[in-house]
Structures are given as structure tokens and as C-alpha cells.
Amino acid sequence: MQWETVIGLEVHVQLATRSKIFSGASTAFGAEPNTQACAVDLGLPGVLPVLNEQAVAMAVQFGLAVHAEIPEVSVFDRKNYFYPDLPKGYQTSQMYHPIVGAGEVEITLDDDTTKRIRIHHAHLEEDAGKSLHEDFHGMTGIDLNRAGTPLLEIVSEPDMRNAKEAAAYLKAIHSIVTYLGISDGNMAEGSMRCDVNVSVRPKGQEAFGTRAEIKNVNSFRFVERAIAFEVERQIELIEDGGSVVQETRLYDPERDETRSMRTKEEANDYRYFPCPDLLPVVLDEAYLEHLRSQLPELPADKRARFQDALGLSAYDASVLSASREMAEFFEEVHRVCGDAKQAANWVQGELSGALNRENLSIQNSPVSAQQLGEVVRRVLDGTINGKAAKQVFQALWNGQGGSADAIIDAKGLKQVTDTGAIEGMIDQVIAESPAQVAQYRDSEPEKRGKMIGYFVGQVMKASRGTANPQQVNDLLKTKLDALL
Ligand code: ADP
Ligand code: MG
């Protein structure tokens, strides 16, 4: 039997407001427990929530970025349940009238094809506090700093068909929210987490199978692993004559498996009802227009422009547009050097390699985009060759201040293109390598091209890397062939 996987994601994005969604308490990460939860976040008697306008603006910006309908009216509902990290006894959320309606996101797959994933809706809600099970012996601590932090929950349609698509979708959402600057997208700190809904069905069958929901997966890699495990579990279960039950499961990264948390029978009845303390949110066209006019160029548009207007490959365009910082760095290098393909090669090659080795993000690159652009410009105008350019890059990386030009001068890296000078070096290398010359002379003509590499290497060395490699190659060939 052939099986097909069906996946839908519910992504929780922590919005980067400075204060909470219904109070003025700070949302800063890492403060002493319970120093950032005010009376409103605790739901003490007599307090009233006030909606944070910034959270509304951020949610709407997301909606506009995914081409969603923005309903004129949205309403907050209370989702009632008891848990120690929820002192109010309910979470304020949006059940029936969310702030963002149906939209769509384009994802890029490994073979550079794209696919549209529909978004069912996105709604605003508040986060709960945290239970700390490790800090106290035999007891659990409660930290309510996170209570009331604004979240945007983005619910997809079940449009993904394998783990790679799910990870690509999550990356696309990550890249949109960070481009917009509405979230720091830091998955390790929990700024973005997702619930993964997975089911399987026989290939060709239209009806969906019963799904399991895997809660709170917090990395791209874990999303793929959790799905892989879950798909295998469900297929095995069905093939052994059993059936999948609708339930909530947890992914355990240490054991690389999912475990049942609660089944549908034990599911809560949340008794949703409109929050009487909050007015419906009404957005007019002028407000939407104002936010629309402030949208930055988004990842999908940037990717298309890099491909169509700058002539980059689909792969380069997709890598360079994945994060806003990367895209802006590349565009600055391109502006300075004037050649998109070379700028792309240097950013993805030398620069990304160095950043990865030292585990630095591009914002903290010791070489600025302006500096890298100058290095590339000097290669393009023939001032230095590629080898010398790497030396200049390394000097800049190591903190040698100043411009690329200053380093080229100081280190004497200007490319030697003077034919006489190069010929002089060639003559010397030939005179010092009688054995290799004899070998060259005795080899088959079609093998000589390969052997020339030795001589090129020696001449380049003699020039301390500054000779023009093409000229060295051409002149060497003429001189060696004259010896035949
Ligand atoms: P609920 O209201 O119980 O949360 P929803 O219908 O809102 O359920 O769906 C929640 C998420 O589960 C959505 O992202 C949706 O795409 C996904 N989903 C729904 N049915 C399936 C299914 N059969 N297989 C995989 N994912 C599904
Ligand atoms: Mg749900």
C-alpha cells in the first residue's frame, strides 16, 4: 500500500512589542521570575485589560504580507481552563472572529520549485506563564513573566505533503515575520513554536485520515524529525490492523519519538465566550492603507527580483533572500561592486564560510558590506586577482582597519599584468625545473594541459600571488611549447 502524508501547522509567533498585549508590563526576555507580571497579567479582581495597539498593527502587517483578507471586525474570546501558570482561569484569544482571515504563503522546495500553502486564519492571543519543574526540589515553581505576552497564532490549511514542505513553510513564516520586524523569530528562546498536525491516507484517497497533533515543537529540525517518526508510527499502526486516534502528542528530542499526552475523550471543553472586558476591534480602510504603505519588500518579492532583474539563479536568489540581513548585505555589496553574480558568489562563498566557521551571524560580520564590495570591485577592474582578493578579505576579517585599497597597497598585492615582468618570472621557473620541463616534453600532447598546473603554481608563488593567472597560463604555454 502507498501512503500519503498530510500536514497542517499551527505556528505561535511571539510579537516583538515592548509591553504585553493587555497591560503595560515589560516583555523583555530573561528577567528575574515574577518581576514582569502586573495585576492585569495576574487577573486580580477589578483590573481591566487595555489592548496594545502595536500588537494589532503587527498582526495586520502579517496579514497584509500573506495577502490575507483583513476582516473589518475581530473579537476577543475567553478560553476557559485551569492550570497553575494561568492564574486568571482563562486565556484571552480569538476563536470566532480572528484578526487575520484566509491568506497564502509561497514556499521554496529543494529542487527550487515553489508551492503555495494556504493560511486558514491568524489570531491574536496572550501567552501563559511558565512552570519551572527543575529549580525546586519536590516542588514546581511558577514564573508569570511570560503571562500576557502577545502571540500571533498562524493556522495553515492541511496543504503540506511531507516533512520537507512543513520545514520550508515554517522557514517561510520565519522569514516573513523577521522581515516585517514583528518578531525576533528566536526559536531557541521560544519566540516561535509550532503544533504539527499529521495524518496519513492511502495514496489516491480524497478523505483525510485521522490526525495526531504534536505540541510545541521548537526547531526546524525537530519539525522534520517529529513528522518522520509520527508518519511511520501511524502507517505501522494501520497496517497492523489498528487505527489512529485523534490525540495530542509530545515530541521528545532526546529519544526522537512522540508520546501521547491526551486523547480526544479527555480533551477540554473550553467554553469560549466573547470577553466582556474588551471591545471588538474595528479597522477601517485608511488604517489598513497606512500599514500597507509601510510594508518592506518581502522575501518572495525579493527572491523574484534577484532572479528576474539581477539574473541570479533560483538557488542564489533563494539563499540570499532568506533573511533580511543577508539580503541587505548582498544588495550593498552589489551596489558597491556593480556585479550581482560576483557579489552573490562572495557573500555565499568566502563570507558565509568565514561566518560559519566562527559561528557569527551576518549582522556581526567583521567585514562590512562596503568593504567586501570594494574587494570585489578591485577584482572586477583587474587591480587584484582572485587569490589576492582572498588575502585582502582575510586581512579585513582579522581586523586590519581601512579600505580594501589601503590593504592592497600596504601588502603590495596589485596584480602584475606587465608581460615582461611575468616572462622574467617564467624564465626563472623554467630554468630551475629541468626535470619537470623534460617530463612536460615527453608527455602526450593532451596530458600537457594538466601538467602546466605545476608551472603556474611556481610562477604564482614567485609573484607572491599577484601575477595575472590568465596571462601566466598563456605565456607559459607559449614558452613551454617553444621548447618542444
Ligand atoms: P482544531 O479546531 O481542532 O484545532 P482545525 O480544523 O482548526 O482543528 O485544524 C487545526 C490544524 O490541523 C490546522 O492547521 C489544519 O490544517 C490541520 N489539520 C486538520 N485536519 C488535518 C488532517 N486530517 N491531517 C493533518 N492536518 C490536519
Ligand atoms: Mg487547534
Side-chain angles (χ1 to χ4, degrees):
M1 171 89 76
Q2 290 251 48
W3 295 93
E4 182 175 57
T5 305
V6 173
I7 303 160
L9 258 52
E10 295 161 280
V11 182
H12 293 85
V13 174
Q14 195 171 305
L15 297 176
T17 57
R18 279 190 299 184
S19 57
K20 306 232 170 130
I21 185 168
F22 300 122
S23 82
S26 166
T27 53
F29 181 82
E32 277 291 295
N34 299 312
T35 55
Q36 293 179 171
C38 71
V40 172
D41 306 322
L42 303 178
L44 296 186
V47 298
L48 284 172
V50 177
L51 179 57
N52 183 333
E53 189 186 342
Q54 199 58 38
V56 172
M58 289 174 165
V60 172
Q61 276 182 313
F62 174 79
L64 295 172
V66 297
H67 315 289
E69 312 162 32
I70 310 293
E72 191 184 354
V73 179
S74 58
V75 178
F76 284 96
D77 299 293
R78 289 185 180 180
K79 177 179 181 178
N80 300 282
Y81 66 96
F82 171 81
Y83 204 74
D85 64 17
L86 187 79
K88 298 196 301 180
Y90 61 86
Q91 176 194 32
T92 306
S93 180
Q94 297 185 311
M95 179 63 181
Y96 303 106
H97 301 284
I99 187 150
V100 172
E104 62 179 27
V105 167
E106 190 180 271
I107 62 170
T108 308
L109 303 168
D110 279 349
D111 60 0
D112 292 329
T113 57
T114 56
K115 174 174 174 177
R116 284 176 200 283
I117 305 296
R118 290 169 302 155
I119 287 175
H120 181 272
H121 78 271
H123 63 262
L124 278 169
E125 61 186 28
E126 60 182 344
D127 209 344
K130 255 187 203 164
S131 299
L132 308 171
H133 301 295
E134 269 124 48
D135 303 8
F136 307 96
H137 190 69
M139 288 184 286
T140 291
I142 303 288
D143 176 8
L144 293 165
N145 283 351
R146 203 178 62 181
T149 298
L151 297 178
L152 183 66
E153 178 172 341
I154 304 157
V155 181
S156 84
E157 293 286 356
D159 282 352
M160 288 148 274
R161 293 292 172 269
N162 57 55
K164 286 251 178 282
E165 288 186 9
Y169 169 78
L170 195 59
K171 283 183 186 151
I173 296 286
H174 185 268
S175 140
I176 291 169
V177 300
T178 50
Y179 260 70
L180 291 171
I182 63 172
S183 174
D184 64 20
N186 188 331
M187 294 187 80
E189 286 178 6
S191 303
M192 214 173 119
R193 21 190 219 272
C194 86
D195 302 341
V196 187
N197 296 272
V198 184
S199 65
V200 297
R201 62 180 171 186
K203 225 179 170 94
Q205 175 184 307
E206 192 155 336
F208 289 145
T210 305
R211 73 186 146 110
E213 178 177 10
I214 311 161
K215 280 276 179 204
N216 268 331
V217 190
N218 68 354
S219 85
F220 298 114
R221 199 162 54 90
F222 291 167
V223 165
E224 289 194 46
R225 306 286 295 257
I227 292 170
F229 176 87
E230 188 56 24
V231 166
E232 202 160 312
R233 184 188 73 87
Q234 292 185 12
I235 292 174
E236 216 163 275
L237 191 63
I238 301 170
E239 287 186 341
D240 285 350
S243 53
V244 175
V245 290
Q246 189 170 336
E247 62 181 348
T248 307
R249 300 178 70 86
L250 256 192
Y251 175 67
D252 177 347
E254 258 156 49
R255 300 166 78 162
D256 193 24
E257 61 176 30
T258 66
R259 280 197 301 276
S260 181
M261 252 172 95
R262 55 175 185 263
T263 59
K264 204 183 175 191
E265 289 74 55
E266 313 157 38
N268 300 305
D269 177 352
Y270 295 115
R271 301 279 163 144
Y272 282 96
F273 66 86
C275 180
D277 290 343
L278 287 159
L279 290 166
V281 178
V282 180
L283 306 174
D284 62 20
E285 196 42 53
Y287 178 74
L288 299 187
E289 201 36 62
H290 167 68
L291 290 178
R292 200 175 279 125
S293 71
Q294 294 184 333
L295 287 180
E297 185 181 30
L298 289 158
D301 302 324
K302 245 194 216 307
R303 189 172 61 235
R305 183 167 61 79
F306 284 178
Q307 243 182 293
D308 302 340
L310 302 185
L312 296 188
S313 70
Y315 175 79
D316 288 352
S318 148
V319 171
L320 292 170
S321 62
S323 89
R324 186 171 174 169
E325 291 78 16
M326 173 80 101
E328 283 172 356
F329 198 104
F330 158 72
E331 291 197 88
E332 176 68 4
V333 175
H334 173 219
R335 197 188 58 74
V336 175
C337 80
D339 183 311
K341 185 65 199 157
Q342 287 302 321
N345 286 349
W346 277 85
V347 170
Q348 288 176 96
E350 209 66 14
L351 179 73
S352 293
L355 291 171
N356 286 342
R357 268 193 302 283
E358 300 199 13
N359 206 9
L360 288 173
S361 60
I362 200 158
Q363 297 96 291
N364 300 319
S365 169
V367 180
S368 72
Q370 170 77 32
Q371 287 174 317
L372 181 55
E374 282 169 8
V375 175
V376 182
R377 189 171 63 190
R378 289 304 172 228
V379 178
L380 290 165
D381 69 13
T383 307
I384 52 175
N385 64 32
K387 214 172 157 139
K390 288 185 181 170
Q391 293 182 52
V392 179
F393 177 85
Q394 206 51 51
L396 291 168
W397 183 272
N398 293 338
Q400 182 150 341
S403 65
D405 284 345
I407 292 173
I408 293 168
D409 280 344
K411 289 187 174 286
L413 291 173
K414 261 209 183 83
Q415 178 159 251
V416 177
T417 52
D418 172 32
T419 313
I422 295 176
E423 280 180 331
M425 291 186 272
I426 290 177
D427 290 341
Q428 187 165 352
V429 167
I430 288 180
E432 285 166 0
S433 324
Q436 284 81 0
V437 172
Q439 208 179 337
Y440 181 86
R441 196 183 307 127
D442 297 342
S443 26
E444 319 259 318
E446 57 275 13
K447 296 221 171 112
R448 287 190 189 129
K450 218 166 157 190
M451 285 200 58
I452 217 165
Y454 165 80
F455 295 97
V456 174
Q458 293 303 109
V459 176
M460 290 307 289
K461 209 162 139 193
S463 76
R464 291 179 11 270
T466 60
N468 177 298
Q470 191 57 49
Q471 278 175 295
V472 171
N473 237 299
D474 296 345
L475 291 169
L476 254 172
K477 204 167 164 325
T478 316
K479 286 209 175 252
L480 286 169
D481 287 349
L483 297 175
L484 292 177

